[in-house]
């Protein structure tokens, strides 16, 4: 296993290249960050000895491209659809549900995440707190505030 100093130096030298390659292949910031972490974890655990800086750079490029390809061909990835595609297709969903979905998607990210996990995925607040790394009371507060924002957007008095 490599030292922390070696890893930091490698991130400084090759981090931009890895991120750019990921964005070119994945066109998605979240997946880019996942692959970035995967590549540098592989580097940290790799026993490879590099002959030169160019050899090391080539290793990072190859590992990054392979990790991107693996993600793109994964079963999970093939079964997902972007939110934009869902909103563009004529949905078999009732118009009032579409309005709610659009309202949820227009929320700030911190509210959108908890509403999605709670209302669409069915997670309880303690589970959401573990997933997002937030305090349980913070999750309850975010849920309450997000419901208030949805009420304002949708013009209703009852829970959204």
């Amino acid at each position: 296993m490599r030292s922390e100093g070696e890893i930091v130096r490698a991130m400084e030298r090759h981090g931009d290249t890895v991120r750019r390659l990921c964005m070119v292949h994945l066109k998605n910031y979240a997946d880019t960050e996942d692959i970035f972490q995967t590549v540098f974890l592989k580097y940290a655990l790799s026993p490879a000895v590099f002959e030169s800086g160019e050899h090391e750079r080539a290793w990072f490029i190859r590992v990054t491209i392979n990790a991107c390809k693996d993600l793109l061909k994964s079963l999970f990835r093939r079964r997902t659809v972007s939110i934009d595609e869902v909103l563009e297709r004529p949905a078999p969903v009732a118009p009032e549900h579409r309005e709610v979905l659009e309202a949820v998607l227009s929320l700030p990210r911190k509210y959108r995440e908890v509403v999605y996990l709670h209302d669409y995925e069915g997670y309880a607040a303690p589970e959401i707190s573990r997933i997002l790394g937030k305090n349980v009371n913070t999750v309850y507060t975010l849920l309450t505030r997000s419901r208030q924002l949805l009420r304002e957007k949708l013009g209703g008095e009852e829970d959204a």
Side-chain angles (χ1 to χ4, degrees), residues 138-154:
T138 303
V139 171
Y140 283 121
T141 301
L142 291 171
L143 282 169
T144 301
R145 289 179 183 168
S146 65
R147 287 189 179 119
Q148 181 59 39
L149 287 170
L150 287 171
R151 240 182 254 114
E152 291 168 9
K153 287 179 188 275
L154 298 171

Side-chain angles (χ1 to χ4, degrees), residues 111-122:
Y111 299 123
R112 189 173 56 230
E113 289 174 340
V114 295
V115 167
Y116 176 78
L117 290 171
H118 185 267
D119 295 344
Y120 290 90
E121 295 294 330

Side-chain angles (χ1 to χ4, degrees), residues 93-113:
V93 177
E96 63 273 10
H97 293 158
R98 185 176 190 79
E99 183 181 0
V100 170
L101 176 61
E102 288 173 352
V104 168
L105 292 174
S106 71
L107 291 173
R109 183 178 181 188
K110 64 183 180 180
Y111 299 123
R112 189 173 56 230
E113 289 174 340

Side-chain angles (χ1 to χ4, degrees), residues 25-38:
H25 282 83
L26 305 172
K27 299 170 185 62
N28 177 315
Y29 180 76
D31 290 340
T32 293
E33 289 303 307
D34 287 344
I35 296 301
F36 181 87
Q37 290 178 10
T38 300

Side-chain angles (χ1 to χ4, degrees), residues 1 4 9 15 17-18 23 41 152 157:
M1 188 168 172
E4 186 176 342
R9 281 189 295 280
T17 302
V18 170
M23 285 302 289
L41 179 62
E152 291 168 9
E157 290 301 314

Side-chain angles (χ1 to χ4, degrees), residues 120-143:
Y120 290 90
E121 295 294 330
Y123 287 105
E127 294 170 311
I128 296 171
S129 78
R130 283 192 298 278
I131 291 169
L132 298 178
K134 297 182 187 288
N135 185 299
V136 177
N137 290 331
T138 303
V139 171
Y140 283 121
T141 301
L142 291 171
L143 282 169

